[in-house]
Amino acid sequence: MDYQDVLAEVGAGSAHPGGMQSTRIWMEALNIEPMSRVLEVGCGTGRTLLELERKFGCSITGVDIRSVMVQKARRRAKEMGQTAQFITANVEALPFPDGEFDVIVSESVHVFCDPAVSLSECHRVLCPGGQMVDVEMVVLEPVTEAWRRDVQSTYGVRQVPDLAGWKRLYGGAGFQKVQTLTMRRVVPDQAMVAEQQDLDPVDLSSKGAYQKAQVLSTLEANAKWLERNHHSMGYAIFLLEA
């Protein structure tokens, strides 16, 4: 059971860096109207996407590679009385035609993929002039190969670029404009406080999830890694234009 499997087990709604606080920052920067077609890649259990639909009345589609996440997202929508389309799919091979969406959202997704491929796919399905928001982990200082192996083992990420590295990836994928809305250091204690302040209104945890040894050991390993390494880790919110 890897880190993403554990997030699915506990039904995490906002496990991305900065949680719902970072989500609110970029929501104020996007141009979303009721007619906007919005795609979230790596939608997880759908909390962010359904908040967008509630706030803007837009048409929403979510994709996630884990079918259990998609099932829980559909359950969330049903319990909240909202309409959404959730599909099991890989962001590296999106099942949509070119230019299908006006806005794309991703929160801590591309570090788990081949970002050159996944970001190019996002650019492909985004209409000309469309916007994309991306919340991603960023290294804040030079790190060793041992550090990179450690973060890959703990989280399952492919790579964690620095700020300049992300901008090169966005440019390589075809995005014409790249704006950094904010970049912040990861502070473990602040993350815990923020999570308590933004409790998920829907409990999507699997039965007995927090009694499973693998779940507890993975969560503990995550907490310990953050405590050791948070000084070198941050996150950034990028606003991109096709």
Side-chain angles (χ1 to χ4, degrees), residues 162-212:
D162 59 12
L163 189 64
W166 278 115
K167 290 182 177 180
R168 284 193 297 269
L169 285 165
Y170 297 135
F175 289 97
Q176 298 301 308
K177 295 182 181 178
V178 179
Q179 179 183 356
T180 306
L181 295 180
T182 188
M183 188 167 71
R184 301 181 179 184
R185 195 175 289 274
V186 172
V187 181
D189 290 343
Q190 289 181 3
M192 292 177 64
V193 171
E195 185 176 350
Q196 291 300 312
Q197 291 175 340
D198 283 299
L199 291 176
D200 196 331
V202 182
D203 181 5
L204 295 172
S205 59
S206 300
K207 185 177 180 180
Y210 289 100
Q211 280 72 54
K212 295 182 179 180

Side-chain angles (χ1 to χ4, degrees), residues 77-197:
K78 183 177 181 180
E79 291 196 19
M80 297 185 71
Q82 292 180 248
T83 301
Q85 177 178 225
F86 292 105
I87 301 169
T88 303
N90 189 336
V91 66
E92 294 183 17
L94 291 170
F96 307 111
D98 296 359
E100 181 76 0
F101 298 96
D102 303 300
V103 176
I104 295 179
V105 173
S106 70
E107 294 179 310
S108 192
V109 173
H110 300 286
V111 288
F112 298 97
C113 310
D114 179 339
V117 176
S118 58
L119 289 169
S120 292
E121 271 293 271
C122 288
H123 184 272
R124 178 184 67 79
V125 303
L126 192 61
C127 70
Q131 290 182 303
M132 176 173 168
V133 66
D134 192 22
V135 182
E136 294 291 352
M137 297 163 62
V138 178
V139 291
L140 302 177
E141 60 188 31
V143 294
T144 65
E145 284 304 312
W147 185 97
R148 294 188 182 279
R149 289 192 298 271
D150 193 24
V151 73
Q152 182 176 27
S153 174
T154 302
Y155 290 100
V157 301
R158 299 277 192 92
Q159 57 177 293
V160 185
D162 59 12
L163 189 64
W166 278 115
K167 290 182 177 180
R168 284 193 297 269
L169 285 165
Y170 297 135
F175 289 97
Q176 298 301 308
K177 295 182 181 178
V178 179
Q179 179 183 356
T180 306
L181 295 180
T182 188
M183 188 167 71
R184 301 181 179 184
R185 195 175 289 274
V186 172
V187 181
D189 290 343
Q190 289 181 3
M192 292 177 64
V193 171
E195 185 176 350
Q196 291 300 312
Q197 291 175 340

